[in-house]
Amino acid sequence: MREIALRKKIEDTASGMNADFVGIANAGCFENPEYTGNKPQDVMASVQSIIILGVGVPKGAFDTLPAGRAEYTNTLMAATATLRIAAFQIAKIIEKEGYRATIVPTEGSEFGYWYADRKTLKANLSIKYAAYHAGLGNFGMNHLLITKDFGPRVRMTAILTDAPLEREEKGDLLPFINEKCSSCMKCIEVCPAGAISQNGEIDREKCAQYMFNVLGGLRCGLCVKVCPM
Ligand code: SF4
Ligand code: SF4
C-alpha cells in the first residue's frame, strides 16, 4: 500500500538524518475531551497524522548544569536544528507523494516561546501529547515526555500531514503519568522557580520568567537533570 511505503521512507529518512526515534500519531487523539491545549486541526483542517521525530540530547549537557548553562542551551539548539533539517526533508518527501505537510514549531524553542500563545504560553499543539499517543513514552511530573531510551533528555519536532500514516496494529498506551514519579518528586524539589506542583500542574509563566528574567534567556534544565529515568 502507498501509505506503508511512504511510512517506511519517512522512517528511513529520519534515521538516515540522525533522528534517534520516529513515531506517528493519529491526529484524532487531539479530539479527546481531556486534552485542553491547542489542536492541530486548527492549523490544518485536513490533518490525519502527526509524525514525531526525536533525538536524545547528549548527557554531558545535563551533567555540566548549572555551570554549563550556555553549553546546555546551545546543545538543545543543535538538537532542534538537526530535527528541523530532517523534518524539512520528510515534508518534501510527503508532498512528492501528493499529500500536504507542514512542520510544527518546537514548544519552548530557542526562540523563547516566540511561537507560543502569549496568554497561555502553549504551542499550537503539544508535541509531547502526540508523542504519547504514538507510543513513544509517557509524562513525568516535570511535564516532559519520559522515553524508554533517553528518559526526558530528548528534543522533538513534529510534522502535520493529511497522509493517513498511522499503524493499525498499535499496542496499549502506557499509563499517562510515569509510575515511577509518585516515589520520586525530585523535579518538584529542584525547581528554582517553584513551577512544578505536587498535583502535576506546571506553571509555564513561572518557568518562563525564571529563564528570561533570571537566566537571561538561557535554558534551565534542572528538572531534566535530576530525573532518574
Ligand atoms: S524527576 Fe522523578 S518525579 Fe520528576 S519526572 Fe523524573 S521520575 Fe518523575
Ligand atoms: S526548566 Fe527549571 S524553572 Fe522550568 S520547570 Fe524545570 S526546573 Fe523549573
Side-chain angles (χ1 to χ4, degrees):
M1 234 169 92
R2 186 174 162 221
E3 286 79 22
I4 295 174
L6 178 55
R7 199 165 66 211
K8 171 90 173 62
K9 210 166 179 182
I10 289 167
E11 288 166 351
D12 290 348
T13 303
S15 76
M17 297 189 74
N18 299 318
D20 290 317
F21 56 89
V22 54
I24 298 172
N26 185 319
C29 69
F30 284 91
E31 303 294 355
N32 184 334
E34 285 176 12
Y35 174 78
T36 56
N38 299 318
K39 296 180 178 179
Q41 288 83 356
D42 295 335
V43 175
M44 180 188 266
S46 59
V47 64
Q48 294 273 325
S49 310
I50 323 259
I51 303 161
I52 301 103
L53 308 179
V55 287
V57 177
K59 289 183 179 156
F62 300 95
D63 295 346
T64 50
L65 285 173
R69 275 218 164 97
E71 288 75 9
Y72 171 63
T73 305
N74 193 44
T75 305
L76 294 185
M77 285 187 197
T80 301
T82 301
L83 290 169
R84 279 206 180 110
I85 292 168
F88 188 77
Q89 185 70 27
I90 289 168
K92 300 284 282 180
I93 288 169
I94 291 169
E95 295 221 335
K96 271 192 192 136
E97 293 296 321
Y99 296 106
R100 287 284 186 268
T102 188
I103 304 168
V104 177
T106 309
E107 189 172 14
S109 74
E110 67 270 31
F111 293 107
Y113 292 100
W114 185 46
Y115 292 128
D117 181 300
R118 293 286 102 198
K119 287 199 186 109
T120 61
L121 294 181
K122 286 184 176 176
N124 276 351
L125 71 134
S126 167
I127 295 176
K128 291 173 282 187
Y129 188 78
Y132 168 72
H133 282 277
L136 294 172
N138 55 5
F139 281 77
M141 293 298 279
N142 53 13
H143 273 238
L144 298 175
L145 189 82
I146 310 280
T147 63
K148 186 164 115 339
D149 292 335
F150 305 101
R153 292 167 294 282
V154 297
R155 209 64 175 159
M156 295 187 290
T157 193
I159 301 159
L160 306 184
T161 178
D162 56 1
L165 296 169
E166 194 199 15
R167 285 179 198 284
E168 276 141 30
E169 72 298 345
K170 232 185 203 164
D172 290 339
L173 284 173
L174 294 165
F176 194 69
I177 302 287
N178 194 288
E179 53 281 4
K180 301 264 172 62
C181 288
S182 58
S183 58
C184 171
M185 304 287 172
K186 285 184 178 163
C187 52
I188 297 172
E189 288 157 22
V190 80
C191 178
I196 312 171
S197 54
Q198 297 277 351
N199 64 2
E201 301 276 315
I202 190 148
D203 188 327
R204 287 183 174 77
E205 190 64 42
K206 281 187 180 169
C207 175
Q209 291 290 330
Y210 181 72
M211 285 198 266
F212 293 105
N213 296 343
V214 180
L215 302 182
L218 294 180
R219 291 296 175 255
C220 163
L222 293 181
C223 56
V224 194
K225 175 177 175 154
V226 295
C227 185
M229 301 298 292

